[in-house]
C-alpha cells in the first residue's frame, strides 16, 4: 500500500526496442550436489537459461552473457508465452547485432540466488516444501560462475569464445577469467570492478536496510503473507536508479523540471504526496514497478554477492588474480560518466592485466548515460564489439 | 523495531570536540502574523535561537549562522541543561575560533519547518491542540530567511556583518543576499547551490519515499502512536550520509573493510542481519540514532524546501538574483571532493557574481571529506574565514 502514486509515465524508457526479432524460450538445467563457497551443499540446484543462435560443429562459437543485479536469463528476443517480459540486452544480441546470432551461439542464465527460475530464496526448499527465504545458502559471484560452468559442460562446450557482461555481469566475467581461464578465449568485462568499493557497498547496504526494516519483510518469511515488503524493495530500487544515472543525463532529461509549477496558495504538507519533479516521477515509477518482477530476499542475496566480491582478497594484489589467465584476451569497457563503477576501476584492472603481459583492449566510452550506458549505448558498443569479435574469429580461424 | 542492530560504535565521529568552552542557552522569539511564501498565514510562529558573544555598541559585529538539513540552533558551546546536545559547528564558533566570540556576536536559529523548538510539523497547532503534522504550511528557504529577518529586527541589528552557512545553510545565505542585500555587509555561502540539481532532488526524494512508505508514518499522523516511522527516517538518513562522504574518504576510513572476515561454513541469509562491512556499521549507527533527535515530518518539510529552492526561477538567469546585491561582499567556499554540492555549482555562482562586478572571493578547498568537509575541515576554514573577517572588519573601520 504505497503512500505515493506515480502520476505520469517514466521519463526514460530503458531498452525501448523489446520486440526482438528472435524468439526466446526458458530452459532449465538441474544438477547436484552443488557445494556453495560458504561450504553449504545442496543436493540439487536449478539454473534457468536461454540460448540464441546455433552452436557450430566444433562448438567454437559460444558466447556466455552474464546479467547484472536486476537482470535475468531473458537477454534477447521475444518470449511468446511471456509477451510483456522485456529482454535487457536485445539491442546487442540478435541477427546482425553485436552478438550476432547468425554467427554465434549466445547463452544467458539467471544467476543463483536470483528469482527468475534459478535456485534462490524465493524458490521452494524440497526438504520442507516451503520457500527457502533466508535459509538459502549465501551466494557469491564464484557460486554463480561455478553453476555456469556446469551449464557450459552440459551444453558440450569446452571453450567459450567469450564471456561478456556489464556491472555484476562483469564481475562474473572477471571471476571466469580468474578461475576458469582455460575455458575462455576472451573476456569482456564492462562497467565493472574486481572489488566493490566502499561507496558501492554503501548504496547496496542502504538498499538492504530499506528492505529489512520494512515491517512486512518479517525476517524474510513473507511469501505466504498478503503484505509483502514491496515498499522497502521499491525504495532500494530507487536508490539504485539514482546511482545508474549521471548528473549530466539527469540534466539532459530535464529531471530538475517541475511537473507542476503551480505553487498555489495555502499549500500544506499534504502536497508531499504528489511528485513535484520529473526525477521523482521517474524514480517512483521504476520503484513501484520493481516488486512486480523481483523478490526482496533475492535483492538481499544478489547485492550481498556483489559486495562480497573481491578478487584481490587472496594476496591483496589484483594482478595475482589473473596469473593463470595469460592466454585470455580481454576487452575492457567503461563509460566516462559512470560514477558508480567509475573508469578508474577499469583502469586498475587494465594495469593489472598489463603487468602480466595479457592482451587487453580498453575503451573508456564517452557517454552521458552514467552506469546505465552499458544498456543505453548499443550503437557505440556494437561498433566496438563487432570489430573485436571479428578480430577474435579471424585469430581463431 | 529495526530488524538490524549496529554492532559497533561509528567509525567516524563528527564534531568530536563538543565540550565547547562557552555556554549555550536556547531563547525563543514569538511573532506574528507570519505569511508563508505559499500564501498561508499563521497568527504566530516561534523561532528557537542561540547567541554567542556580545553585540557591540553600534551593533556592527553581528554574524548570523544558518544551519543545514539536520542542524539546529545549537551551533556552538555546551548546554548545561542538555549536556548530550552536540553543537554542529563548535569547531568554528567560540573564543579565538573562526567566528571569534570575543569579537563577534554570533546568532543561530532553528529554521522554520524543523524540529528543535521553531514552528514546524512536530509542534502543536494552537487552533486544534494537536500536532500540526502535514497541516503545517509548506516551508521554503525564503520563509526561513523572512523569519530570520524578524529575529534580526528583534535583536536591534540593522546590518549583519555577515551571514554564513554550509549546504542548506548556504542556500539561506544566498537568499539573504538576493532578497535582503541592504541588511548585509558580507555573505559566506559554503558548499551550496542557488538551485538544487536533479541529483540533489533525487536523493532527497528517495529519503522522503523511505519515510512516506513506512507503514508507521500513517499519513504523517504518528505523533500520538507508539510506533513511529523511525525505520523510514533511518533509511533516509543513511542515504543522506552516503552523499555526504566521498569515495576517497571512504577508502581512507577503510570503509570497505570487513568487520569480520570469517566467511565461515554454512552461512545462510540469516547472516544478512549482521553488518559485515565498516561502512554498513557506520551507516546503521547514524541511521538508527537519527530518529532520537529528528522528526520524520520535519525531514519531509526541510528537504522539500531545499528541492524547491531556485534563485534562477524568476528569469532563468542566476545573475538576475543578485542585481540588488552589488554592495555585498561574497566569500564562496566549496570542496574538491564534494560530489553532492560539486564545485561547479559554486563556480556558476561566482561567475554570476563576477558578471555583476560584485566583490567575490572564491576558494575551492582541497579536501577528501566530500560534502561533510564544511564540518570536518575547521583548520583550513578557520585560516580562510579569520583572514576574511579581519579584512572585512578593517574595511568597516
Amino acid at each position: 500500500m504505497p503512500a505515493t502514486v506515480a502520476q505520469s509515465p517514466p521519463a526514460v524508457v530503458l531498452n525501448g526496442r523489446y520486440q526482438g526479432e528472435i524468439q526466446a524460450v526458458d530452459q532449465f538445467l538441474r544438477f547436484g550436489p552443488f557445494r556453495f563457497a560458504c561450504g553449504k551443499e545442496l543436493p540439487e540446484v536449478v539454473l534457468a537459461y536461454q540460448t540464441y543462435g546455433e552452436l557450430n560443429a566444433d562448438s567454437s562459437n559460444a558466447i556466455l552473457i552474464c546479467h547484472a543485479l536486476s537482470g535475468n536469463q531473458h537477454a534477447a528476443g521475444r518470449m511468446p508465452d511471456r509477451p510483456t517480459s522485456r529482454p535487457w540486452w536485445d539491442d546487442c544480441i540478435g541477427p546482425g547485432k553485436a552478438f550476432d546470432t547468425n554467427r554465434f551461439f549466445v547463452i544467458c542464465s539467471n544467476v543463483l540466488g536470483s528469482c527468475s527460475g534459478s535456485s534462490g530464496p524465493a524458490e521452494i526448499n524440497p526438504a520442507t516444501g516451503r520457500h527457502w527465504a533466508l535459509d538459502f545458502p549465501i551466494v557469491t559471484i564464484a557460486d554463480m560462475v561455478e553453476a555456469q560452468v556446469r551449464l557450459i559442460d552440459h551444453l558440450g562446450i569446452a571453450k567459450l569464445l567469450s564471456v561478456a557482461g556489464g556491472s555484476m555481469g562483469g564481475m562474473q566475467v572477471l571471476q571466469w577469467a580468474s578461475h576458469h581461464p582455460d575455458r575462455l578465449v576472451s573476456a569482456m568485462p564492462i562497467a565493472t570492478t574486481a572489488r566493490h568499493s566502499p561507496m558501492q557497498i554503501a548504496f547496496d547496504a542502504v538498499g538492504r536496510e530499506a528492505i529489512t526494516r520494512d515491517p512486512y519483510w518479517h525476517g524474510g518469511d513473507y511469501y505466504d503473507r498478503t503484505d509483502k515488503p514491496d515498499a522497502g524493495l521499491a525504495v532500494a530500487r530507487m536508490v539504485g536508479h539514482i546511482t545508474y544515472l549521471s548528473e549530466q543525463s539527469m540534466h539532459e532529461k530535464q529531471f530538475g523540471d517541475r511537473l507542476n509549477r503551480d505553487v498555489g496558495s495555502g499549500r500544506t504538507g499534504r502536497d508531499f504526496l504528489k511528485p513535484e519533479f520529473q526525477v521523482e516521477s521517474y524514480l517512483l515509477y521504476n520503484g513501484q514497478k520493481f516488486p512486480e518482477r523481483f523478490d526482496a530476499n533475492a535483492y538481499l542475496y544478489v547485492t550481498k554477492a556483489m559486495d562480497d566480491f573481491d578478487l584481490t582478497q587472496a594476496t591483496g594484489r589484483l594482478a595475482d588474480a589473473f596469473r593463470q589467465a595469460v592466454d585470455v584476451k580481454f576487452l575492457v569497457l567503461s563509460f566516462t560518466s559512470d560514477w558508480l563503477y567509475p573508469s578508474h576501476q577499469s583502469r586498475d584492472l587494465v594495469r593489472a592485466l598489463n603487468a602480466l603481459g595479457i592482451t587487453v583492449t580498453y575503451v573508456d566510452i564517452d557517454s552521458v548515460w552514467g552506469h546505465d550506458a552499458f544498456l543505453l549505448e548499443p550503437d557505440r558498443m556494437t561498433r566496438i564489439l563487432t570489430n573485436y569479435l571479428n578480430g577474435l574469429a579471424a585469430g581463431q580461424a
Side-chain angles (χ1 to χ4, degrees), chain A:
Chain A
M1 198 183 61
T4 315
V5 177
Q7 301 291 308
S8 67
V12 165
V13 176
L14 301 179
N15 274 334
R17 292 174 270 163
Y18 64 100
Q19 58 286 53
E21 298 96 302
I22 51 177
Q23 285 209 354
V25 180
D26 272 350
Q27 301 175 71
F28 299 89
L29 176 68
R30 294 177 184 279
F31 55 93
F34 185 85
R35 192 176 180 81
F36 289 77
C38 67
K40 195 157 180 170
E41 187 175 284
L42 296 189
E44 186 183 81
V45 296
V46 59
L47 275 197
Y49 69 100
Q50 300 189 356
T51 67
Y52 321 103
E54 300 291 331
L55 189 63
N56 62 9
D58 61 355
S59 302
S60 65
N61 70 335
I63 297 176
L64 177 69
I65 303 292
C66 302
H67 70 72
L69 166 54
S70 65
N72 58 28
Q73 68 276 20
H74 186 200
R78 189 173 49 83
M79 295 188 72
D81 52 335
R82 275 192 278 147
T84 61
S85 179
R86 175 174 288 191
W88 59 271
W89 227 10
D90 199 55
D91 286 337
C92 288
I93 303 169
K97 296 180 183 175
F99 298 103
D100 186 347
T101 49
N102 291 330
R103 299 171 62 196
F104 303 117
F105 179 62
V106 178
I107 310 151
C108 185
S109 64
N110 187 217
V111 297
L112 280 186
S114 183
C115 51
S116 292
S118 291
S119 297
E123 297 295 313
I124 300 295
N125 176 356
T128 65
R130 305 190 61 230
H131 295 272
W132 279 102
L134 296 200
D135 289 327
F136 198 79
I138 291 229
V139 175
T140 64
I141 301 291
D143 293 323
M144 297 174 185
V145 167
E146 293 311 309
Q148 290 161 357
V149 170
R150 306 285 280 267
L151 172 62
I152 300 311
D153 289 343
H154 164 76
L155 294 171
I157 299 162
K159 200 159 191 164
L160 291 159
L161 180 62
S162 199
V163 183
S167 199
M168 188 184 79
M171 295 179 197
Q172 295 160 61
V173 170
L174 294 177
Q175 177 73 22
W176 266 97
S178 175
H179 285 71
H180 298 282
D182 53 316
R183 306 293 299 270
L184 307 176
V185 176
S186 72
M188 301 179 178
I190 302 171
T192 194
T193 181
R195 182 192 184 191
H196 244 203
S197 74
M199 185 167 285
Q200 290 159 338
I201 293 169
F203 281 115
D204 281 349
V206 168
R208 288 193 294 270
E209 287 297 316
I211 291 167
T212 58
R213 285 170 190 259
D214 186 322
Y216 297 139
W217 180 62
H218 285 296
D221 294 321
Y222 52 79
Y223 294 103
D224 299 327
R225 293 173 184 264
T226 309
D227 288 320
K228 305 273 193 293
D230 290 350
L233 180 57
V235 169
R237 182 63 169 170
M238 290 184 227
V239 172
H241 263 294
I242 299 177
T243 66
Y244 307 152
L245 296 165
S246 73
E247 195 184 352
Q248 202 178 341
S249 66
M250 284 192 179
H251 274 293
E252 296 209 351
K253 284 280 150 198
Q254 306 186 309
F255 270 6
D257 283 6
R258 287 181 166 81
L259 294 168
N260 179 359
R261 285 199 83 92
D262 170 29
V263 289
S265 59
R267 289 201 311 163
T268 70
R270 305 277 163 210
D271 291 314
F272 294 147
L273 304 185
K274 295 196 292 277
E276 183 182 354
F277 295 94
Q278 292 284 3
V279 70
E280 287 186 284
S281 176
Y282 171 80
L283 293 173
L284 285 179
Y285 179 87
N286 283 288
Q288 288 181 188
K289 295 279 285 184
F290 193 54
E292 295 171 11
R293 67 179 182 87
F294 213 88
D295 173 60
N297 284 338
Y299 200 87
L300 303 180
Y301 273 82
V302 177
T303 58
K304 200 74 176 177
M306 296 165 76
D307 291 345
D308 282 338
F309 186 58
D310 180 5
L311 282 179
T312 72
Q313 191 168 335
T315 67
R317 282 172 42 92
L318 181 54
D320 290 338
F322 299 105
R323 292 211 174 276
Q324 308 306 315
V326 287
D327 293 327
V328 177
K329 294 173 175 60
F330 282 77
L331 173 65
V332 178
L333 301 181
S334 60
F335 299 92
T336 53
S337 59
D338 183 350
W339 58 274
L340 184 63
Y341 291 81
S343 299
H344 66 74
Q345 290 184 327
S346 288
R347 284 196 294 270
D348 286 346
L349 172 65
V350 169
R351 267 190 290 272
L353 298 172
N354 281 338
L356 296 166
I358 292 174
T359 305
V360 53
T361 300
Y362 171 52
V363 188
D364 189 30
I365 299 175
D366 189 31
S367 170
V368 302
W369 287 105
H371 187 55
D372 268 343
F374 83 93
L375 301 169
L376 297 176
E377 292 283 9
D379 295 339
R380 296 183 206 206
M381 289 179 63
T382 296
R383 283 197 294 276
I384 294 167
L385 293 170
T386 303
N387 263 334
Y388 191 82
L389 287 164
N390 284 341
L392 266 189
Q396 292 298 102

